Amino acid sequence: MTGHVETVKVVFDSSQTSYEDLLRLYFETHDFTQVGGQGSDIGTQYRSVIFYCDEQQKKMTEKYIGILTDKGYKVATALEPATTFWVGEDYHQHYYDKKGDTPYCHIYRKIF
């Protein structure tokens, strides 16, 4: 009921990878067309969203949403400005390591 989204904070070194490469990976590893959740995780806290830090990231993300739309996809991913990042409780940390299973909602598929 908080309005929060379960997400990760990605910190990257732009000399090692680009925001554009991360965007492609993001769109190729989850279902960006699913509304209201991911896989069997249903609810607004599981919605697909990208939080951008500046106008350059916003424009790049809009470009990729446009590319996907032009390819015929109905993109459900929201684009919102980054604000305060709240770290989840300990039981939310390293979920897949703790569970010991293969991730069920992240499957790579080549799109770009």
Side-chain angles (χ1 to χ4, degrees):
M1 305 308 286
T2 64
H4 292 178
V5 179
E6 288 195 10
T7 187
V8 296
K9 182 177 185 178
V10 177
V11 178
F12 67 101
D13 180 345
S14 60
S15 71
Q16 300 293 314
T17 192
S18 69
Y19 181 75
E20 188 169 11
D21 287 342
L22 294 173
L23 271 178
R24 277 190 237 120
L25 182 62
Y26 177 80
F27 284 119
E28 291 181 334
T29 57
H30 87 286
D31 185 357
F32 55 85
T33 65
Q34 185 176 345
V35 176
Q38 279 295 294
S40 61
D41 293 328
I42 304 300
T44 58
Q45 71 272 29
Y46 302 115
R47 69 189 183 272
S48 177
V49 60
I50 294 174
F51 296 97
Y52 61 89
C53 294
D54 57 39
E55 281 301 308
Q56 184 178 2
Q57 288 181 354
K58 180 182 180 186
K59 288 181 191 306
M60 181 66 66
T61 306
E62 289 171 335
K63 172 187 166 184
Y64 273 85
I65 289 172
I67 290 168
L68 291 166
T69 301
D70 290 346
K71 288 177 174 273
Y73 293 104
K74 292 185 181 187
V75 179
T77 302
L79 181 57
E80 301 177 15
T83 57
T84 303
F85 180 82
W86 301 98
V87 176
E89 297 87 351
D90 283 343
Y91 69 90
H92 284 293
Q93 305 304 318
H94 307 284
Y95 177 76
Y96 287 123
D97 291 337
K98 289 176 183 173
K99 191 165 167 50
D101 289 340
T102 302
Y104 59 87
C105 63
H106 299 285
I107 298 170
Y108 180 80
R109 69 194 182 291
K110 182 81 172 143
I111 296 173
F112 302 106

